[in-house]
Amino acid sequence: MNKIKFEVGDACNLREDLGSFDLVLASNLICRLVEPMKFLDRLKSLVKPKGYAILSTPLTWSTAYTNEEEWIGGYYDKNGNAIEGIDGLKNALDGSFELCKQLQLPMIIRETKRKFQYTFCMITIWQRK
């Protein structure tokens, strides 16, 4: 039985015939995409009804990856209100997904032999309606 297939691709330009899944995991991805909303919109067709999307992100927005106008959080709106990453995720997913759980977990990324990046990721678990 061959039920697993690995592919490499651009999360913002996934092929249309990819299918739908019981679970989609996006780890350390959202704030590294050129067009995060494009991926979040696509989740609606990637996750089967009653399936889950797990998003793990440090929400460390940088113009090195994403133009500021594409950020879904980490900025202030025109009225001076802080727009957080969870706000952007809720705006993007609330119509098709229900937020089941939100938590913070530490993450370590090795940059060099002796240098590590220690940060906290926001983990959200969403169930497709």
Side-chain angles (χ1 to χ4, degrees):
M1 262 197 241
N2 210 359
K3 292 189 174 190
I4 297 176
K5 181 179 176 185
F6 293 92
E7 293 187 28
V8 176
D10 177 352
C12 292
N13 292 299
L14 297 169
R15 59 186 173 83
E16 289 300 318
D17 65 344
L18 193 56
S20 59
F21 305 91
D22 295 316
L23 174 69
V24 172
L25 169 66
S27 184
N28 200 24
L29 177 71
I30 303 299
C31 59
R32 299 294 181 265
L33 295 174
V34 173
E35 297 175 279
M37 279 303 298
K38 191 171 182 182
F39 172 74
L40 293 170
D41 285 341
R42 183 67 195 281
L43 274 180
K44 297 165 190 168
S45 64
L46 288 175
V47 179
K48 293 178 182 176
K50 304 294 181 193
Y52 292 90
I54 300 174
L55 308 178
S56 171
T57 175
L59 295 168
T60 51
W61 297 99
S62 168
T63 55
Y65 304 105
T66 313
N67 290 329
E68 284 186 53
E69 56 271 7
E70 300 288 339
W71 294 7
I72 63 165
Y75 64 91
Y76 292 93
D77 68 13
K78 62 184 177 184
N79 298 320
N81 300 311
I83 305 300
E84 303 293 335
I86 189 64
D87 301 323
L89 290 175
K90 285 179 178 178
N91 287 336
L93 300 175
D94 263 353
S96 300
F97 290 84
E98 179 181 340
L99 179 60
C100 301
K101 187 156 182 99
Q102 177 184 341
L103 62 147
Q104 305 290 324
L105 289 176
M107 175 178 72
I108 296 175
I109 297 174
R110 187 177 194 166
E111 293 181 5
T112 68
K113 186 175 181 178
R114 296 186 314 227
K115 182 182 176 192
F116 295 83
Q117 181 186 123
Y118 180 75
T119 189
F120 281 84
C121 287
M122 182 180 66
I123 314 295
T124 53
I125 302 172
W126 304 82
Q127 185 174 31
R128 175 104 189 287
K129 295 178 181 176

